[in-house]
């Protein structure tokens, strides 16, 4: 019952957006934070919410040029400063488990490692053409595995390009001319011309990969009981956006969302 109450309180704290900074906590307490953080969603990443926007703040250098964060802006009226409520968190229990993640205006990630050593994670970002790229992955004793939302492509057999076909035609034309001059015209596809130096592939014996994680051995500087930590906080992200480029990206995203 006590663990349930602690977990509920942690979840309420995380959901409220309150900043957290805990160090030198017990593995058990750290694990409560790690488990609560995962409710933010491996594979269910949200981008940072937009909190507002404003014209670029007036600032000029000694030459009278309009500057924004050290960058000269020739046409400040074409830009806007957007603000986003970004977030990140990270925690470890001191026994090998961890969880971390972040979200920004156009990307995000969550990852965790459990008590067995298995790592699970996901990340997402907005591509230039407006579609979200989403990947989910895990790594365990069998190796690294990943799935994403890219469309599957049909693999077609290799075909000869026009340049290759033309080169073949010229080659066999020259072959015929030289053979006629020599009074002998062998078949270029005959076995005697095909076997020498020909690569014969062999099927390798399949050996499944099994990773053996070595046991953790504390270093000489690590003394005392294991301790964990956890932090989570929100922070403002100001973003310089070109109005025309922003409108085009929003148009592409609207098209993609309609198609999905």
């Amino acid at each position: 019952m006590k663990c349930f109450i602690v977990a509920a309180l942690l979840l309420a704290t995380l959901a409220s957006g309150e900043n957290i900074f805990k160090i030198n906590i017990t593995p058990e307490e750290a694990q409560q934070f790690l488990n609560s953080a995962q409710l933010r969603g491996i594979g269910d990443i949200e981008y940072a919410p937009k909190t507002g926007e404003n014209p670029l703040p007036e600032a000029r250098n000694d030459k009278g040029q309009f500057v924004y964060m050290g960058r000269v802006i020739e046409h400040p009226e074409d830009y806007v400063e957007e603000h986003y409520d970004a977030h990140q968190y990270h925690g470890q229990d001191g026994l090998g488990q961890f969880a971390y993640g972040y979200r920004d205006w156009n990307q995000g990630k969550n990852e965790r490692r459990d008590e067995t050593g298995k790592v699970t994670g996901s990340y997402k970002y907005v591509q230039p053409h407006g579609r979200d790229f989403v990947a989910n992955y895990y790594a365990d004793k069998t190796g690294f595995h990943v799935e994403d939302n890219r469309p599957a492509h049909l693999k077609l057999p290799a075909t000869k390009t026009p340049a290759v076909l033309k080169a073949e035609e010229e080659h066999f034309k020259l072959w015929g001319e030289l053979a006629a001059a020599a009074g002998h015209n062998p078949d270029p596809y005959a076995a005697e011309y095909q076997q020498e130096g020909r690569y014969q592939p062999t099927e390798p014996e399949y050996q499944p990969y099994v990773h053996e994680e070595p046991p953790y051995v504390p270093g000489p500087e690590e003394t005392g009981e294991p301790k964990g930590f956890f932090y989570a906080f929100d922070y403002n992200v100001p973003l310089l956006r070109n109005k025309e480029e922003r409108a085009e990206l929003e148009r592409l995203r609207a098209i993609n969302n309609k198609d999905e």
Side-chain angles (χ1 to χ4, degrees), residues 69-145:
M69 295 188 176
R71 172 181 171 183
V72 175
I73 305 295
E74 294 185 358
H75 301 283
E77 67 277 5
D78 294 340
Y79 294 84
V80 66
E81 182 184 69
E82 294 183 337
H83 292 267
Y84 291 85
D85 189 17
H87 180 84
Q88 65 173 272
Y89 68 91
H90 182 198
Q92 299 183 21
D93 70 348
L95 299 175
Q97 298 186 67
F98 68 76
Y100 80 92
Y102 67 89
R103 66 180 184 189
D104 207 334
W105 76 280
N106 65 346
Q107 59 182 300
K109 180 179 180 180
N110 289 313
E111 182 176 292
R112 74 166 299 169
R113 185 180 192 269
D114 64 21
E115 66 277 3
T116 69
K118 181 178 180 179
V119 176
T120 307
S122 58
Y123 60 91
K124 179 170 75 171
Y125 61 85
V126 180
Q127 300 177 88
H129 52 68
R131 187 181 297 274
D132 287 338
F133 177 85
V134 183
N136 297 293
Y137 61 90
Y138 71 91
D140 58 12
K141 292 183 178 181
T142 63
F144 180 79
H145 312 268

Side-chain angles (χ1 to χ4, degrees), residues 217-230:
V217 179
E221 73 283 357
E222 298 180 66
T223 59
E225 296 295 324
K227 296 293 183 179
F229 71 87
F230 185 86

